[in-house]
Amino acid sequence: MTRKPRLSPLAMALCALLLGAAAVAQQPAAPAADGAKPDVSRVERSYMGAASPLGTEPMHQTSNPKAPPMTQAEFDRARQIYFERCAGCHGVLRKGATGKALTPDLTVPKGTDYLKVFIGYGSPAGMPNWLTSGDFDEATVDLMARYIQHDPPQPPEFSLADMEKTRKEYVPVAQRPKKKMNSYNIENIFSVTLRDAGEVALIDGDTKKIINIVKTGYAVHISRTSASGRYLYVIGRDARLNLIDLWMEKPDNVAEIKVGLEARSVETSKFKGWEDKIAIAGTYWPPQFVLMDGDTLKPRKVVGTRGMDVNNEFHPEPRVAAIVASHQKPEFLVNAKETGKILMVDYTDLENLKITELSAARFLHDGGFDSTRRYFLTAANASDKIAVVDTKTSKMAALVDVGKTPHPGRGANFRHPKFGPVWATSGLGDESIALIGTDPAKHKANAWKVVQSLKGQGGGSLFIKTHPKSNNLWVDTALNPDPKISQSVAVFDIRDLSKPPQVIDIAACAQLKDDGAKRVVQPEYNQKGDEVWFSVWSAKDKASAIVVVDDKTRTCKLAIKDPKLVTPTGKFNIYNTQHDVY
């Protein structure tokens, strides 16, 4: 239980100031520029305020004579706290993203005392109450109130030459196997992110044994399989990209590169004739993406994403979120998060690069294909919309209103008993699960509409999943503040969606004895579609596990427990990732 801090004289004075500013604080928050709702739940703040690797990077600092004085040690400490707690919402350059802008032209006129109240007690628009929650003490509140009146320090840029300096080929292409050298069923291997260890665990889906623990970047965000199924690409939040060769006797790293200072996304070319030839990685900082040789990670082309957003306003740091490889053309689809633009990048000629720009909505996050792999559906989570791209015509097909802050992962495809093919998304902001019709040819009346909204356990859902051979739709709620909800999952029978979901206590299946958080995250099917794997995610110093559930009976089969499984989160089955099965 978190103990509430006692109010000191300073805090009491701040309370008085807060009461004096009540008339301002109680006014309705101004709507965001993109029309998004201003309120942000505690669940969403937990998700968006995640730590950034930029806290320890050397940065350029400018001087603002109107800002209150700070020592260099104070400035450095405040900078680290900002990137750990605040940059996810307010942006690296403090220009505003999900949170409001915090640039000196806005903060200096407010003054330190006002900003202390804002930081310490929060606001109706969703600013966390850092002091009264116990996360900050009064000295830290004062430190941050002074810091945000200084000019924001800008991280360094990262060029193609900078990337090339970091690249390593542990096993040159000529020395790699000419054929598969192991007996593993590669198509049923799982790449499991060990978030805080800076590793991925390769687990044999048939035997449930760990094949290898591979050193990677910190907090690997995703694993992606090459079109041939041979290579596995994993990228950490620190922008370290690792290439793993699954043909080796013991699959391991064969190359790596650092593509920036902070990143989330990687993908490889899948169009016929281009299999495994081109890789792409997108970064949060600098705001750009890089195209590379698929087998060596040698960087070939860097493209910046800074520019005008969907409201024709300039944004200095549009972070690259999801990237997917088109199955219709030799193209990558790149989400420029803050601008709300989707970039269709033709990779056939890197010297004379062609990019088709589509305007969707802010802020673009993750998404996946419909069952035909023609339409790309992606969340614009600050606008509470799903953007639909027709990758055959290279045009926007629709913008669909859904629940609060959609977060689909790659979504879930299945055939609805009444409305035909649908794609589903859950979300962070509420309990709704939107089912969107995806068949404009045979079910035109249902296409690009929410044909049904299901009710899950609550907000805080990160992933939703089904399989072509399954009758189940699984929904996690890993970031819900209620432990009973975050440690369990809801499962719907897609043959009869009028029935309420069954709730399964996955954490209990793990039988972990300590008091860890045991958040249950990301259902992932095996190759056959008869098992669903869940991460039971606790802190770095607590025991975690992978729970395997029989999809047909919805019963727990076993728990994979090993001291090496440190903070397991995302899991990616090689076959399903290779073929976009979800």
Side-chain angles (χ1 to χ4, degrees), residues 400-423:
V400 185
D401 291 318
V402 292
K404 188 76 173 71
T405 321
H407 193 284
R410 289 208 149 186
N413 288 301
F414 61 94
R415 188 173 188 85
H416 192 284
K418 181 178 178 181
F419 300 109
V422 297
W423 179 91

Side-chain angles (χ1 to χ4, degrees), residues 529-580:
D530 59 5
E531 291 178 352
V532 192
W533 291 35
F534 295 90
S535 296
V536 181
W537 169 29
S538 288
K540 188 175 182 179
D541 60 345
K542 302 292 184 181
S544 295
I546 303 293
V547 169
V548 180
V549 176
D550 184 289
D551 182 67
K552 185 175 182 179
T553 64
R554 302 180 177 180
T555 57
C556 299
K557 293 180 68 172
L558 76 157
I560 304 172
K561 292 185 280 189
D562 190 296
K564 298 175 184 176
L565 295 179
V566 177
T567 57
T569 51
K571 300 165 300 305
F572 303 89
N573 176 268
I574 296 299
Y575 180 87
N576 293 338
T577 304
Q578 176 187 359
H579 296 283
D580 288 301

Side-chain angles (χ1 to χ4, degrees), residues 242-565:
N242 290 81
L243 179 63
I244 299 170
D245 189 349
L246 299 174
W247 279 13
M248 296 172 67
E249 185 174 353
K250 187 176 184 180
D252 208 339
N253 283 318
V254 292
E256 75 168 58
I257 190 172
K258 190 171 173 62
V259 295
L261 301 178
E262 185 173 1
R264 294 295 189 280
S265 52
V266 66
E267 183 61 289
T268 65
S269 51
K270 291 185 176 180
F271 191 70
K272 187 176 181 180
W274 289 89
E275 297 91 340
D276 296 19
K277 290 187 177 181
I278 306 292
I280 181 173
T283 49
Y284 267 27
W285 190 271
Q288 61 193 31
F289 61 88
V290 57
L291 296 148
M292 300 163 282
D293 291 341
D295 55 357
T296 66
L297 303 183
K298 184 174 181 61
R300 296 294 185 184
K301 188 84 169 184
V302 179
V303 180
T305 56
R306 293 179 174 98
M308 309 306 287
D309 66 14
V310 292
N311 298 318
N312 294 314
E313 297 176 356
F314 179 77
H315 202 288
E317 52 169 315
R319 299 172 286 183
V320 176
I323 303 175
V324 297
S326 173
H327 296 274
Q328 305 292 323
K329 299 177 182 179
E331 291 180 335
F332 293 118
L333 282 79
V334 178
N335 279 354
K337 193 179 185 83
E338 277 74 18
T339 59
K341 302 284 185 72
I342 300 171
L343 310 177
M344 305 185 76
V345 182
D346 182 335
Y347 50 73
T348 58
D349 184 353
L350 301 188
E351 291 301 317
N352 303 285
L353 198 65
K354 296 179 181 178
I355 299 177
T356 300
E357 179 184 284
L358 304 181
S359 292
R362 299 169 67 196
F363 299 120
L364 293 170
H365 192 61
D366 207 356
F369 289 105
D370 76 309
S371 59
T372 69
R373 301 192 302 186
R374 172 174 172 173
Y375 297 96
F376 173 53
L377 296 94
T378 186
N381 50 28
S383 303
D384 303 335
K385 297 179 186 295
I386 296 295
V388 184
V389 176
D390 184 342
T391 63
K392 187 174 181 178
T393 64
S394 300
K395 294 181 179 180
M396 290 293 302
L399 283 172
V400 185
D401 291 318
V402 292
K404 188 76 173 71
T405 321
H407 193 284
R410 289 208 149 186
N413 288 301
F414 61 94
R415 188 173 188 85
H416 192 284
K418 181 178 178 181
F419 300 109
V422 297
W423 179 91
T425 179
S426 53
L428 286 159
D430 60 31
E431 74 280 1
S432 68
I433 299 159
L435 309 185
I436 298 171
T438 61
D439 183 8
K442 297 181 180 180
H443 298 80
K444 186 175 181 179
N446 302 328
W448 320 133
K449 298 176 182 178
V450 176
V451 295
Q452 186 173 357
S453 181
L454 308 177
K455 184 177 181 180
Q457 290 198 83
S461 176
L462 291 177
F463 297 100
I464 185 169
K465 193 63 66 77
T466 188
H467 188 277
K469 296 181 181 179
S470 174
N471 292 317
N472 292 323
L473 178 67
W474 300 84
V475 185
D476 72 16
T477 36
L479 293 186
N480 194 285
D482 185 340
K484 290 183 179 179
I485 296 176
S486 66
Q487 295 178 8
S488 61
V489 297
V491 54
F492 294 84
D493 185 342
I494 61 179
R495 297 167 298 183
D496 185 359
L497 291 167
S498 65
K499 297 189 301 186
Q502 178 184 354
V503 175
I504 301 175
D505 189 342
I506 299 294
C509 297
Q511 297 183 343
L512 299 175
K513 297 180 180 180
D514 63 28
D515 58 350
K518 303 174 188 175
R519 290 174 293 232
V520 174
V521 64
Q522 200 201 30
E524 177 76 349
Y525 275 86
N526 64 346
Q527 178 195 4
K528 293 181 180 179
D530 59 5
E531 291 178 352
V532 192
W533 291 35
F534 295 90
S535 296
V536 181
W537 169 29
S538 288
K540 188 175 182 179
D541 60 345
K542 302 292 184 181
S544 295
I546 303 293
V547 169
V548 180
V549 176
D550 184 289
D551 182 67
K552 185 175 182 179
T553 64
R554 302 180 177 180
T555 57
C556 299
K557 293 180 68 172
L558 76 157
I560 304 172
K561 292 185 280 189
D562 190 296
K564 298 175 184 176
L565 295 179

